[in-house]
Amino acid sequence: MASLFLLFLLVVPFAALLLLLLLAAVVRPRRVRIPIKGRHVLITGGSSGIGLALARRAAAEGARVSILARNPARLEEARDAIRLATGVDAAVHAADVRDPTAVARALEEAGPVDVLVCNQGVFVPQELEAQELEEVRFMVEVNLMGSFHLIKAALPAMKARSRETGLPASIALMSSQAGQVGVYGYTAYSASKFGLRGLAEALQHEVIADNIHVSLIFPPDTETPGFAEEHKRRPELTHLIAGSSGGMKADDVAEKALKGIKSGTFIIPCNFEGIMLSIATAGLSPQRSYLIAFVEVLGAGFMRLVGLCFQWNWFNTIEKWHAKKSSILYNSMVH
């Protein structure tokens, strides 16, 4: 028994080392650093919440910042807030991301972009059967199609700029933890955010030769101006299932996001729960770090077990809620 234990102690570190060496050889794309100082960073949804926090941080690090949103008055307020916090005058552009013509015009006015952050997003929670198709369409058009419009408009000048400067560029997409796992009441929202992952994975293949690096950010519930209203609209079951998910300050999300963008990280989680979700859903996504890949490989099986336990809990919650509802309805009919 002692000899078997000794053999185990010798074999496991050797196997781990071999795995690390293999991963160091195969992880792609290669590591990169994306400078921010002196470069043009354009952030959509930049008039409030995570977008405004990102704009402040980028400006504080010496970037030339442009923010894009629909409301001109709120854009001016955001510009004043950025100036007050950093002394930097951000450029502002009013456009609805659902309108490709307006987006193209705004991007032309802004000039070539080095770092594009597609941060716009809307969230209207409700069960699909009860939700109006106009609300579904609104979320898909803003969250998903809006990102297509922005990237299509920015790419030609971004590629030319990267060739001219020889510096790496970045396209970052703001998803959500609801873009990693579907939750009751988030049917349309999750669909719009899951779509960003397919966009990001395929786009990275298409633009890597142009030295453009794609990041996908997965924040949890975040304390933004619309957060309280969103919570009011959540179905009761959504509160029961997702209520335990911890919220974050917009500035904390922005800090994590900007750090990930600068390192060219493909999947950017924002808290511990996000890290666990990222391991559980890594799949075929790009990975630059062989150390994180090592954790993903070793943790995949365990995280699948954890995921199954979560699903067991969620389905039990749904079953109990419906049983309680049926019981209340039956008692009201009897009495």
Side-chain angles (χ1 to χ4, degrees):
M1 183 63 73
S3 59
L4 284 174
F5 182 67
L6 182 60
L7 181 64
F8 176 80
L9 289 179
L10 291 171
V11 168
V12 169
F14 181 69
L17 179 61
L18 282 180
L19 178 57
L20 280 168
L21 290 172
L22 173 64
L23 292 172
V26 302
V27 291
R28 291 293 185 277
R30 299 184 188 281
R31 296 181 77 97
V32 69
R33 294 299 302 175
I34 298 169
I36 294 292
K37 187 175 181 179
R39 306 187 77 203
H40 187 194
V41 177
L42 189 145
I43 301 163
T44 66
S47 62
S48 64
I50 297 170
L52 178 55
L54 271 167
R56 279 197 302 262
R57 284 190 168 272
E61 293 192 22
R64 179 166 72 86
V65 173
S66 295
I67 54 175
L68 184 149
R70 283 181 295 170
N71 190 312
R74 290 179 66 183
L75 278 168
E76 289 299 329
E77 291 172 4
R79 174 154 60 184
D80 291 343
I82 294 166
R83 186 190 299 119
L84 185 64
T86 66
V88 173
D89 268 320
V92 297
H93 303 277
D96 188 334
V97 296
R98 294 174 294 173
D99 182 348
T101 304
V103 168
R105 185 165 55 246
L107 267 291
E108 188 176 357
E109 290 171 1
V113 175
D114 298 301
V115 176
L116 173 66
V117 184
C118 300
N119 170 71
Q120 80 286 346
V122 290
F123 172 40
V124 187
Q126 196 170 17
E127 295 94 337
L128 180 61
E129 185 179 8
Q131 193 156 41
E132 294 292 332
L133 280 174
E134 280 305 308
E135 286 185 338
V136 174
R137 190 173 292 110
F138 179 50
M139 280 185 275
V140 172
E141 286 183 354
V142 172
N143 300 348
L144 182 57
M145 289 307 301
S147 297
F148 275 102
H149 297 157
L150 288 158
I151 295 165
K152 283 277 288 181
L155 258 183
M158 183 178 277
K159 287 183 176 183
R161 174 85 151 218
S162 186
R163 283 194 299 269
E164 178 189 325
T165 63
L167 293 173
S170 170
I171 296 171
L173 298 160
M174 189 65 66
S175 184
S176 163
Q177 287 183 356
Q180 294 173 292
V181 58
V183 178
Y184 185 100
Y186 286 24
T187 309
Y189 180 69
S190 282
S192 71
K193 291 296 188 177
F194 265 83
L196 291 176
R197 179 153 189 162
L199 164 59
E201 289 188 2
L203 181 65
Q204 182 60 97
H205 287 174
E206 294 178 12
V207 300
I208 190 64
D210 300 291
N211 204 13
I212 298 173
H213 305 272
V214 179
S215 292
L216 198 53
I217 305 157
F218 292 104
D221 284 345
T222 304
E223 295 174 13
T224 60
F227 184 62
E229 286 304 313
E230 291 160 3
H231 264 249
K232 287 178 188 175
R233 278 205 56 167
R234 277 184 174 182
E236 184 183 348
L237 257 174
T238 306
H239 279 293
L240 292 173
I241 291 171
S244 60
S245 178
M248 284 185 74
K249 300 285 187 184
D251 197 57
D252 293 335
V253 173
E255 180 183 9
K256 299 279 187 184
L258 195 58
K259 182 180 178 182
I261 289 167
K262 291 191 293 183
S263 63
T265 303
F266 183 76
I267 291 178
I268 304 175
C270 296
N271 60 3
F272 178 75
E273 186 180 69
I275 293 170
M276 295 298 101
L277 273 172
S278 296
I279 294 170
T281 61
L284 293 176
S285 60
Q287 179 55 263
R288 297 180 190 276
S289 167
Y290 69 90
L291 291 175
I292 296 176
F294 182 74
V295 174
E296 288 171 348
V297 169
L298 293 188
F302 173 72
M303 287 311 303
R304 177 56 178 155
L305 176 61
V306 171
L308 289 170
C309 291
F310 270 101
Q311 289 290 348
W312 171 82
N313 180 55
W314 293 339
F315 278 106
N316 267 3
T317 301
I318 293 166
E319 185 179 328
K320 288 176 183 177
W321 186 85
H322 279 286
K324 181 181 177 182
K325 187 178 176 183
S326 297
S327 176
I328 292 170
L329 181 61
Y330 174 77
N331 289 334
S332 67
M333 290 173 67
V334 169
H335 300 293

